[in-house]
Amino acid sequence: MRENPFVKPRLFCPGPTPVPLEISTAGLQTNVYHRTDAFRQIVLDCRRLLQPFFGSAEAPLILSSSGTGALEAALVNLTDVGDKILVINGGKFGERWEKLGQAYQCKVIRYTIPWGTAPDAAVVKKHLQDNPDCKAVFFQGNETSTGVAYPVKELAAAIRSVSDALIVVDAVSSLVAQLIEMDNWDLDAVVAGSQKGFGIPPGLSFVSLSKRAWTQLSKRPKFYFDLAKEKSGQDKGETAWTPATTLIFSLKAALETLSALGPKGCDEYHARMAKACRNAAEAIGLPLLAQSHPSQALTAVRLPDSMDGSALVKTCRDRYGAIFAGGQDQLKGKIIRIAHLGLVDHLDLIGAIAALEMGLHNLGYSHALGSGTAAAMRTLA
Ligand SMILES: *Cc1c(COP(=O)(O)O)cnc(C)c1O
């Protein structure tokens, strides 16, 4: 129940992202048995429609879990106990690869970078030259905690120039918002999630492995996330376990609309939305956290030192229904993250910026109200 009948909740956080009505309603088919030809066909359709967004000749697998489940699946299926792995850690999600590697007893080498920055391909290359026995490299497409887009193509090229290590990309907040070309860039595993770029609710995740990765599967014990078992079934549309059927109906509806634009069209669209958001932040006088490599999925902006960022998030939510994400850990209270990821339209973004401007105004920040929305409108119109 809403606390205030005149305040609608609107998601402007980097996941979950808003779900259009026709995609929600597609998920209302609840009395469904999944071991039927009709349902198997839907799974096959979804895998086929997902494939272009991964830029891979291999169809991705669909898992019923949040994105982290697919991260875990990738790590468990591609590493054995004691394997040396390199993790790029530039925020909460880099940290997650590190924790997963430790949980599964890999020897984790870290390349830690300051939050808000992008990794340097030359440094990644040096790490691999120093560690020729490194089995795999793990990093993000977007570090969602900082709004930085990692230069995936350059990183992969640098890795490949010195190493055969498997390249595993957490693209949970990248896919749809940013092109990922798994085959062209020679990536070995790409992971994505339903509640980010695909505009459906949380609960499905996707993982695609390269031909090379399929020949290097780990020998360690695994059960729920046994990707070889999943693949042999899913190639016929049969998931290993009971899938989140309602979400798969929504996924198909979302993929049909996204496919009309295709990965390139979606990338260009998100590039423009991100540009509009950055121009708005500049007009409002708030500096970007990512001084280079800003993400197309979200924009993280620094708040004035005197402002309590958590209070700003709360004001925007309570008064205007605008749900932003604040900063985590060392950035707690210091930034606000505005998502333009998934099925977000121009008016959504303009509304988000208007809410942010009003929230800033309520907390005593002095700027010309409307300067941010005007900048966004000029970019989008
Ligand atoms: C959202 C996200 C995840 C997955 O988080 P879940 O809460 O498990 O869905 C992983 N990596 C990145 C970069 C993300 O943005």
Side-chain angles (χ1 to χ4, degrees):
M1 197 185 66
R2 285 186 201 171
E3 277 173 38
N4 180 329
F6 301 110
V7 176
K8 285 187 219 177
R10 290 175 161 97
L11 294 168
F12 300 125
C13 51
T17 60
V19 181
L21 185 63
E22 65 278 16
I23 291 174
S24 306
T25 53
L28 291 176
Q29 299 181 63
T30 48
N31 299 314
V32 172
Y33 183 52
H34 55 289
R35 307 289 182 207
T36 59
D37 285 343
F39 193 77
R40 280 188 281 266
Q41 189 55 51
I42 289 172
V43 170
L44 290 173
D45 290 344
C46 285
R47 294 185 70 210
R48 174 178 51 79
L49 292 165
L50 275 170
Q51 197 168 331
F53 290 93
F54 285 77
S56 166
E58 302 286 314
L61 299 174
I62 300 170
L63 305 174
S64 292
S65 76
S66 86
T68 306
L71 298 181
E72 179 159 338
L75 188 125
V76 166
N77 282 267
L78 296 175
T79 66
D80 279 295
V81 172
D83 276 351
K84 195 185 263 188
I85 64 170
L86 173 64
V87 169
I88 300 176
N89 181 347
K92 281 309 271 184
F93 291 100
E95 192 180 289
R96 193 163 300 177
W97 275 135
E98 204 177 302
K99 287 183 176 167
L100 272 165
Q102 283 159 350
Y104 285 99
Q105 298 175 287
C106 293
K107 272 191 222 118
V108 181
I109 308 165
R110 304 169 185 80
Y111 168 28
T112 306
I113 55 175
W115 286 34
T117 68
D120 180 344
V123 177
V124 173
K125 183 169 164 180
K126 176 81 173 50
H127 274 291
L128 289 162
Q129 284 169 324
D130 293 346
N131 296 280
D133 54 341
C134 186
K135 174 78 200 289
V137 187
F138 294 83
F139 56 92
Q140 270 61 45
N142 268 305
E143 178 45 79
T144 318
S145 61
T146 61
V148 174
Y150 288 179
V152 177
K153 185 181 176 182
E154 286 78 42
L155 293 172
I159 295 165
R160 273 299 162 255
S161 70
V162 291
S163 165
D164 289 329
L166 297 173
I167 301 173
V168 183
V169 181
D170 164 5
V172 176
S173 68
S174 316
L175 281 206
V176 182
Q178 242 151 274
L179 274 185
I180 292 274
E181 298 186 37
M182 202 173 153
D183 290 353
N184 289 342
W185 301 350
D186 209 2
L187 311 176
D188 293 297
V190 171
V191 176
S194 58
Q195 82 276 23
K196 304 282 173 95
F198 295 97
I200 72 168
L204 291 179
S205 62
F206 317 118
V207 56
S208 186
L209 300 190
S210 68
K211 285 209 169 65
R212 182 195 293 115
W214 281 118
T215 66
Q216 295 187 29
L217 295 178
S218 66
K219 295 179 183 63
R220 63 161 98 229
K222 49 187 90 77
F223 193 77
Y224 189 79
F225 291 127
D226 182 338
L227 296 183
K229 181 182 167 74
E230 273 304 339
K231 180 170 163 47
S232 68
Q234 287 198 25
D235 283 348
K236 299 182 285 294
E238 185 96 19
T239 54
W241 321 113
T242 309
T245 49
T246 54
L247 293 174
I248 289 177
F249 285 115
S250 288
L251 176 63
K252 188 171 174 211
L255 287 170
E256 279 166 350
T257 86
L258 287 166
S259 299
L261 215 54
K264 265 222 161 64
C266 290
D267 173 86
E268 283 159 16
Y269 175 76
H270 283 83
R272 223 151 73 84
M273 292 285 274
K275 183 111 197 8
C277 193
R278 290 196 298 273
N279 289 345
E282 190 189 359
I284 299 170
L286 299 177
L288 302 180
L289 176 66
Q291 289 297 308
S292 74
H293 301 87
S295 166
Q296 294 186 177
L298 74 149
T299 300
V301 294
R302 284 190 185 280
L303 298 171
D305 288 342
S306 57
M307 185 171 291
D308 171 0
S310 310
L312 177 63
V313 169
K314 189 171 183 323
T315 299
C316 291
R317 186 179 64 221
D318 293 350
R319 289 180 75 147
Y320 308 112
I323 301 168
F324 294 107
Q328 298 160 284
D329 293 359
Q330 53 180 273
L331 291 174
K332 198 168 165 49
K334 298 190 171 136
I335 61 165
I336 193 156
R337 291 178 295 154
I338 308 151
H340 23 77
L341 169 64
L343 302 170
V344 172
D345 71 7
H346 291 180
L347 298 192
D348 291 331
L349 181 61
I350 291 164
I353 292 162
L356 175 63
E357 289 197 62
M358 291 191 284
L360 287 163
H361 176 84
N362 294 144
L363 294 192
Y365 178 77
S366 155
H367 81 292
L369 270 178
S371 53
T373 49
M377 287 156 74
R378 277 194 301 274
T379 316
L380 296 171

